[in-house]
Amino acid sequence: MRKPCCDKQDTNKGAWSKQEDQKLIDYIRKHGEGCWRTLPQAAGLARCGKSCRLRWINYLRPDLKRGNFAEDEEDLIIKLHALLGNRWSLIAGRLPGRTANEVKNYWNSHLRRKLINMGIDPKNHRLHHSLPHNSTGATSLGQQLVDMNEPAVKPRGDDIYQASDAGSCWEDEPCRLLPDLNLDLTMSIPSSSSSPSLANKANTEKKNDSELPN
DNA sequence: AACAATAGCAACCGCAGGGCT
DNA sequence: TAGCCCTGCGGTTGCTATTGT
């Protein structure tokens, strides 16, 4: 059995107060991100490290773009989801200022329904044959997605088209299928923090001033 | 105006992967 | 090489706001 990530008895849960936010912001301004396990104690927060990390990444980071998603962002999410499946962090990585959690929430609350209304199965982005095709017709994006599912040449064996929840259609050839998408899906050190330990380490040195607000 | 249903979003949980010893 | 630790990710839950009746 793993140890729990923190001593749950002594930690707050639920919504963050302004004071807690401020403590976290102040601490990260001074010391940078990382060491989430020890951060709460060092920052004087009665929270577990995970909770602090989540709060910072999803809400407090200064480079977050909050507010409604633009139409082009929506399109991009839909296209990327068709390619990558539920890999929200990768999708969010292509949307500056957006977090994986935000993208995921937006997908689940808006875009999924939107695709359903367009007669497209949001799981695999295939035309939902059992549904009557929306009389207004699929939008150009909808049509694109439908077209994507009827490629002239199948890149691989048939089962790849039985996309699962997490499945992406053609991870190895996104550019051929979506030439208008500039998909550099290789991992790179993110601008601010969206990524793992490597980035953490790479960022440790530069972090102190450059990406923090003044 | 009161209540119920639904939507939206913040936060939590558990698992997986990578680094370190 | 195995085991531990830390971090990040995706799924899910639960609270609040909004809309409908």
Side-chain angles (χ1 to χ4, degrees):
Chain A
M1 281 295 281
R2 293 174 67 93
K3 282 194 295 183
C5 74
C6 51
D7 181 356
K8 302 195 179 205
Q9 282 184 336
D10 299 328
T11 56
N12 289 346
K13 286 172 73 171
W16 280 64
S17 68
K18 289 200 168 171
Q19 290 88 344
E20 286 177 310
D21 281 349
Q22 200 52 54
K23 278 185 183 176
L24 183 55
I25 291 169
D26 289 346
Y27 183 86
I28 292 178
R29 275 183 184 165
K30 277 188 192 157
H31 302 94
E33 293 176 47
C35 267
W36 294 108
R37 198 178 176 85
T38 55
L39 183 149
Q41 201 179 8
L45 286 161
R47 292 274 178 176
C48 81
K50 251 181 167 180
S51 179
C52 294
R53 179 185 153 270
L54 221 53
R55 182 65 177 169
W56 174 255
I57 287 177
N58 289 329
Y59 204 82
L60 299 175
R61 252 170 49 195
D63 58 331
L64 290 183
K65 183 203 290 185
R66 303 195 63 80
N68 294 338
F69 281 73
E71 210 166 309
D72 58 329
E73 285 180 306
E74 281 189 11
D75 288 354
L76 190 54
I77 292 169
I78 293 171
K79 286 176 181 176
L80 287 169
H81 187 270
L83 289 165
L84 300 168
N86 293 357
R87 282 179 264 192
W88 305 114
S89 59
L90 274 180
I91 295 173
R94 313 304 306 171
L95 293 156
R98 301 294 187 185
T99 69
N101 204 40
E102 200 178 5
V103 171
K104 178 174 59 181
N105 282 336
Y106 192 71
W107 173 267
N108 286 327
S109 54
H110 295 87
L111 297 179
R112 215 164 57 90
R113 202 164 309 137
K114 188 172 171 179
L115 289 193
I116 289 170
N117 287 340
M118 284 159 54
I120 296 168
D121 185 341
K123 284 186 180 176
N124 53 25
H125 296 259
R126 300 184 74 173
L127 191 60
H128 209 297
H129 294 288
S130 61
L131 282 179
H133 211 144
N134 192 337
S135 58
T136 60
T139 66
S140 57
L141 171 63
Q143 193 56 54
Q144 267 185 42
L145 289 168
V146 169
D147 292 345
M148 283 167 59
N149 288 298
E150 319 274 5
V153 182
K154 289 184 180 181
R156 289 213 224 121
D158 281 342
D159 4 70
I160 195 144
Y161 287 90
Q162 307 305 315
S164 66
D165 273 345
S168 66
C169 301
W170 317 290
E171 286 175 332
D172 45 355
E173 301 191 74
C175 297
R176 183 176 66 79
L177 293 159
L178 289 172
D180 57 323
L181 255 187
N182 178 19
L183 282 175
D184 175 11
L185 294 175
T186 55
M187 295 301 287
S188 57
I189 296 174
S191 58
S192 65
S193 53
S194 54
S195 190
S197 5
L198 274 182
N200 261 345
K201 291 188 174 109
N203 282 342
T204 352
E205 290 88 356
K206 69 163 188 175
K207 201 170 284 173
N208 295 330
D209 39 24
S210 59
E211 64 189 40
L212 295 170
N214 298 316

